[in-house]
Amino acid sequence: MRKVIIDCDPGIDDALAITLAIKSQKLDILGLTICSGNVPAEIGAKNASRVLEICEDANIPVYIGEETPLVRKLITAQDTHGEDGLGEAYDMNYDSNRIKKGGVQFIIDTLKNNNDISIIALGPLTNIAMALRQNKEVFNNLNSFVSMGGAFRIHGNCSPVAEFNYWVDPDAANEVYQNLPTKIHMVGLDVTRKIVLTPNIIELMHRIDTKMAKFVEDITRFYIDFHWEYEKIIGCVINDPLAVAYFLDPSLCQTIESYVQVVTTGEAIGQSMVDSGNFYRKPSNAVIAVDVDSKRFMKTFLNTLFPHDEIEVEAYL
Ligand code: BDR
Ligand code: CA
């Protein structure tokens, strides 16, 4: 069992990523730390708690972290994820007792007391940047760091060049790229855009496990409508679960190593500049996912959330 902290902003695809992480039974999830992103952190914490309820997990604590980006004003994605951040399903049974404050301190303390912690970051990097500002030393204990964010050879989803997580808090993203002692595994839109949950797959889910399928369907319906309206896709792109799957099995993605910095001002704000041509002559600080075996991802995702014996899921992907 690898020990992880999942830093996130739930968020529909964050919810699916947390579910994948728990159901994989391969991770010892020490805590979920929440930042503002898709929704304000307080709403995100309730959503995280709701997901833990669905997964019937009684032990994982939820910590609210930073409520605003380092410099920019918070811009949420409630148009994409719904006012409640979970597709306006308003199915809100959750245990408020597991929600605590002090996300940044939790990250620092956990790293201080262990030397085998990894972080999977599924939202803006505000909590991580804050923790680095307050105690850079403890990050020497960090095992590995995966960040869903950025875009390399593909267009952004907030501007022609910027992906949402880095665009919401570009200052935090850049600080993390410049200061983390270990290389960041950047799982960006180049690969996550290839992960599409289609109605066919949702129908298949229903046939296997109605309760879990109902949760997935309830939270993704709004998201699917958004995708049709803005992108003319039937289905929805689920970014964050790929970061978890990649952490569990890096062979899912092809990668390159390079120096990355994040643009913090001007028109290109939030862009992840991947110096694959080595113009800056700086040592690489990132491992960037450039391609993915999307069918293998979806197979793993389905087999993990919807364990079954005799169904060959391949035919539906
Ligand atoms: C990222 O932005 C958020 O809306 C998603 O949860 C994901 O983390 C994709 O750009
Ligand atoms: Ca997210």
Side-chain angles (χ1 to χ4, degrees):
M1 298 280 267
R2 295 173 72 190
K3 289 186 194 164
V4 293
I5 295 172
I6 300 181
D7 186 68
C8 53
D9 61 335
I12 295 163
D13 55 339
D14 300 76
L16 296 175
I18 296 165
T19 308
L20 176 65
I22 294 172
K23 297 285 174 194
S24 77
Q25 295 178 0
K26 289 182 182 145
L27 301 177
D28 181 6
I29 305 167
L30 300 187
L32 304 180
T33 52
I34 315 295
C35 61
S36 290
N38 288 321
V39 285
E42 208 174 315
I43 301 180
K46 290 178 186 165
N47 293 343
S49 185
R50 174 71 189 130
V51 175
L52 296 175
E53 208 85 7
I54 294 281
C55 294
E56 294 169 2
D57 189 299
N59 299 319
I60 303 174
V62 175
Y63 292 90
I64 300 179
E66 294 300 293
E67 317 238 3
T68 52
L70 294 185
V71 178
R72 285 193 103 182
K73 204 170 151 284
L74 175 65
I75 304 171
T76 63
Q78 281 156 297
D79 58 339
T80 319
H81 292 257
E83 270 310 304
D84 66 344
L86 281 187
E88 300 187 358
Y90 295 112
D91 163 24
M92 266 321 234
N93 249 330
Y94 69 92
D95 176 7
S96 57
N97 289 325
R98 70 162 99 219
I99 302 176
K100 304 172 172 69
K101 296 222 164 170
V104 171
Q105 196 56 46
F106 172 78
I107 294 171
I108 293 172
D109 292 343
T110 310
L111 287 172
K112 198 184 283 172
N113 300 326
N114 301 271
N115 59 8
D116 53 354
I117 303 291
S118 296
I119 297 177
I120 306 175
L122 307 174
L125 296 175
T126 324
N127 288 339
I128 312 301
M130 263 310 198
L132 268 167
R133 278 184 182 188
Q134 289 174 21
N135 195 334
K136 194 168 169 181
E137 190 80 19
V138 294
F139 281 86
N140 291 326
N141 285 347
L142 184 65
N143 186 312
S144 78
F145 188 90
V146 175
S147 160
M148 188 283 128
F152 170 32
R153 295 178 180 137
I154 194 174
H155 61 83
N157 56 6
C158 286
S159 80
V161 293
E163 178 280 330
F164 179 78
N165 290 334
Y166 293 1
W167 177 82
V168 166
D169 197 342
D171 303 278
N174 196 45
E175 280 190 28
V176 174
Y177 274 93
Q178 302 318 314
N179 291 302
L180 207 73
T182 154
K183 286 185 186 171
I184 297 176
H185 290 259
M186 177 180 130
V187 178
L189 296 178
D190 299 76
V191 282
T192 66
R193 275 193 156 269
K194 296 182 179 162
I195 308 297
V196 182
L197 194 64
T198 63
N200 219 21
I201 298 173
I202 295 178
E203 179 61 27
L204 175 65
M205 290 175 174
H206 270 287
R207 304 284 162 169
I208 310 173
D209 173 352
T210 336
K211 186 172 163 233
M212 182 58 89
K214 186 171 175 327
F215 173 66
V216 175
E217 191 177 31
D218 283 352
I219 67 170
T220 53
R221 195 174 297 123
F222 183 96
Y223 203 35
I224 288 176
D225 289 346
F226 175 90
H227 277 78
W228 177 248
E229 194 176 336
Y230 290 94
E231 310 208 10
K232 293 291 172 279
I233 293 174
I234 296 199
C236 57
V237 175
I238 50 169
N239 304 280
D240 293 338
L242 182 60
V244 171
Y246 170 79
F247 178 78
L248 290 165
D249 177 7
S251 76
L252 272 176
C253 294
Q254 284 171 34
T255 57
I256 60 158
E257 288 204 18
S258 179
Y259 172 75
V260 173
Q261 70 183 37
V262 178
V263 178
T264 55
T265 52
E267 281 280 294
I269 194 162
Q271 179 180 21
S272 45
M273 277 175 50
V274 177
D275 186 15
S276 56
N278 199 17
F279 290 94
Y280 294 157
R281 302 269 179 258
K282 290 197 174 173
S284 71
N285 57 356
V287 177
I288 299 114
V290 292
D291 207 353
V292 58
D293 186 341
S294 53
K295 284 202 173 184
R296 189 148 71 83
F297 162 83
M298 200 48 91
K299 215 169 151 182
T300 310
F301 181 70
L302 286 173
N303 288 339
T304 310
L305 265 64
F306 300 89
H308 54 270
D309 291 331
E310 69 287 318
I311 301 154
E312 191 35 79
V313 297
E314 197 101 9
Y316 303 90
L317 306 180

